[in-house]
């Protein structure tokens, strides 16, 4: 999570890092890890200050890990994560400044909408993780 901090994650977890710190992972299980990383804003630097540096933007510990199977609603100045229950047809209007990603983590599917209308359809109810970044 940072230069020194770690957090354990279970399948279906979302883990939020801090801005301006090094991130990584270690798989201590026999099963493979499928890691999907969302990064905002688009400008990314390669300078990693110490955890105590004031440029490090920290997420409160209690907000650093959530489970996709539960309701998720996390907002920052750059992006948002929320869960959406889809059954049948799901639509959102075109937003010219929004990049949207819907993740079906159980089936390892990703649906990307880059400044376009969102149209999804399912035969059975499914909870998707919705990520939105302003472009």
């Amino acid at each position: 999570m940072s230069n020194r901090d770690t957090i354990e994650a279970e399948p279906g977890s979302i883990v939020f890092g801090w801005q301006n710190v090094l991130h990584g992972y270690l798989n201590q299980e026999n099963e493979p890890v499928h890691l999907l990383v969302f990064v905002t804003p688009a400008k990314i630097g390669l300078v990693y200050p110490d955890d105590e540096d004031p440029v490090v933007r920290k997420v409160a510990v209690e907000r650093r890990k959530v489970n996709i199977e539960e309701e998720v609603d996390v907002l920052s100045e750059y992006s948002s994560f929320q869960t959406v229950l889809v059954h049948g047809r799901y639509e959102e209007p075109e937003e010219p400044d929004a990049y949207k990603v819907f993740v079906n983590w159980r089936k390892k599917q990703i649906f990307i909408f880059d400044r376009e209308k969102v149209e999804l359809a399912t035969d059975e109810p499914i909870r998707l993780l919705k990520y939105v970044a302003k472009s």
Side-chain angles (χ1 to χ4, degrees):
M1 292 306 304
S2 72
N3 295 308
R4 293 185 299 265
D5 292 341
T6 62
I7 189 168
E8 277 190 44
E10 299 80 27
S13 293
I14 305 171
V15 178
F16 298 95
W18 295 343
Q19 184 179 3
N20 296 328
V21 296
L22 187 61
H23 297 71
Y25 77 95
L26 172 64
N27 181 9
Q28 296 181 327
E29 302 295 328
N30 293 329
E31 294 295 318
V33 168
H34 301 278
L35 183 65
L36 181 60
V37 178
F38 295 95
V39 179
T40 58
K43 181 182 172 190
I44 301 170
L46 295 177
V47 177
Y48 299 108
D50 186 72
D51 287 358
E52 303 311 316
D53 191 306
V55 302
V56 174
R57 307 232 357 232
K58 298 181 179 182
V59 175
V61 172
E62 62 274 5
R63 295 186 57 216
R64 291 172 65 187
K65 184 175 87 168
V66 294
N67 189 311
I68 296 173
E69 293 300 325
E70 299 167 3
E71 192 170 316
V72 174
D73 194 6
V74 178
L75 177 66
S76 80
E77 65 186 287
Y78 303 112
S79 60
S80 66
F81 288 90
Q82 68 183 138
T83 48
V84 177
L85 185 60
V86 177
H87 188 199
R89 190 162 181 75
Y90 179 85
E91 295 183 9
E92 291 183 10
E94 177 182 333
E95 292 183 55
D97 65 340
Y99 180 80
K100 299 179 182 181
V101 178
F102 292 79
V103 179
N104 179 343
W105 77 275
R106 289 197 176 277
K107 293 187 177 182
K108 298 177 181 62
Q109 295 175 315
I110 301 173
F111 307 95
I112 300 171
F113 301 89
D114 190 3
R115 298 179 293 267
E116 58 191 302
K117 180 180 179 180
V118 172
E119 295 181 299
L120 296 167
T122 65
D123 294 333
E124 57 190 45
I126 183 117
R127 185 177 301 273
L128 301 176
L129 175 67
K130 175 183 170 185
Y131 166 76
V132 178
K134 297 296 180 182
S135 54

